[in-house]
Structure formats: structure tokens, C-alpha cells
Amino acid sequence: MREIRVIGDPVLRTPGEPVTSFDRDLRRLIDEMMETMYAADGVGLAAPQIGVSKRLFVYDASGRKGHVVNPVLTIDDAEEVLDEEGCLSVPGRDTGKPLYARTPRAAGVSVRGFDRLGRPVRLKARGLLARCFQHEYDHLEGVIYVDRLPKNAARDILLRTP
């Protein structure tokens, strides 16, 4: 299991580098990310959240689980959906649990990239899975969900973090 980095750590604001080696180390990293995500009760985890500045995320949401290496996200349905969203990297000072806020996201997305062996993958998602893909993809771009909130809501969240 890996330590989850929290807001304020520079790795969370740095765009990830493309993965170039589909080797045993990558497979081990993916397994450790899944283990870390499950231990933290998350539905997704991006490599920068464990201090690895690589373009990779794992997920388990809406009955689907897996990983995407070097993802490219496309908005299929731009209708804005407001729903509760939190982040393992934005814990509450008092609880250590993610802080939630109604966060705007696109209703439908597609993700294409590669699996742990370098084989192409293409995924379409709506609902929670689409939210998860957008959230994790943002991490690979150095964006945290609070960046998508109105200023006052973001400030309220940040005042409650460590």
C-alpha cells in the first residue's frame, strides 16, 4: 500500500509524464494503486496521488473496475451534472476523510488509452463512472476537484483541510 499525498503536495499540481515502459514495475504499481484505493474506500486513484508523476489511473465504480495507462479523455455529452464529489487527497483536518462538494462534470465521456500490457482500451461512461474518469484524468493534468468549484465553495473546503 502507498501513502496518499494530500493537497499542498507539489506532485498533485504537476502534470504526469507519459508511461513508456509496460513492464513488471508498471504492473506492480497498478496492483499497489488498486490496493491503496480499496484501503482508503475510494472509487478511483491517479498515480500522482501516491507521488508517482505518471499518466495512469485505477478505478472501481458503477460495477466496473480497471485501470487506464496514458488516458485521453473525450467529452461525449457536455450537459453539466452537479453531484457530490470528494477526493482522497483532500481530507478533512478533523476526520481524515474526503471532503465533499457539489462539483460540475460532463454527463458522458470516453477514455482511450492502454492496459498494463500495452493493449489499447476504449471505455464509455456516464454517471458515477464518468465523474470518476474526469476526476482522475484531472489529477493527471495537475487539477484538483476544488479547482472546479465556485470560489467560496473551494475556500470552505480548503479551510477544513490539514
Side-chain angles (χ1 to χ4, degrees), residues 29-135:
L29 175 62
I30 290 168
D31 292 343
E32 290 173 358
M33 287 175 64
M34 291 294 282
E35 179 184 340
T36 301
M37 177 187 70
Y38 288 134
D41 291 324
V43 297
L45 187 73
Q49 290 181 272
I50 59 165
V52 177
S53 191
K54 293 289 182 187
R55 298 189 70 79
L56 158 67
F57 67 76
V58 299
Y59 62 92
D60 187 344
S62 302
R64 293 168 65 187
K65 65 181 177 178
H67 61 276
V68 184
V69 180
N70 296 333
V72 175
L73 183 123
T74 304
I75 304 296
D76 296 333
D77 181 349
E79 177 186 349
E80 185 177 282
V81 176
L82 272 176
D83 206 349
E84 292 293 311
E85 188 170 322
C87 181
L88 298 173
S89 293
V90 185
R93 182 181 325 104
D94 299 329
T95 65
K97 300 289 183 190
L99 296 171
Y100 288 83
R102 290 180 58 80
T103 307
R105 294 288 183 183
V109 299
S110 295
V111 174
R112 62 182 169 81
F114 301 92
D115 71 6
R116 64 178 55 217
L117 300 176
R119 298 177 299 209
V121 296
R122 288 183 180 269
L123 304 160
K124 290 181 105 29
R126 296 187 69 76
L128 177 61
L129 188 59
R131 180 169 295 278
C132 176
F133 285 171
Q134 291 170 83
H135 181 105

Side-chain angles (χ1 to χ4, degrees), residues 16-30:
E17 296 292 324
V19 171
T20 56
S21 296
F22 292 81
D23 56 12
R24 182 178 303 154
D25 290 338
L26 176 65
R27 292 188 294 278
R28 185 174 326 131
L29 175 62
I30 290 168

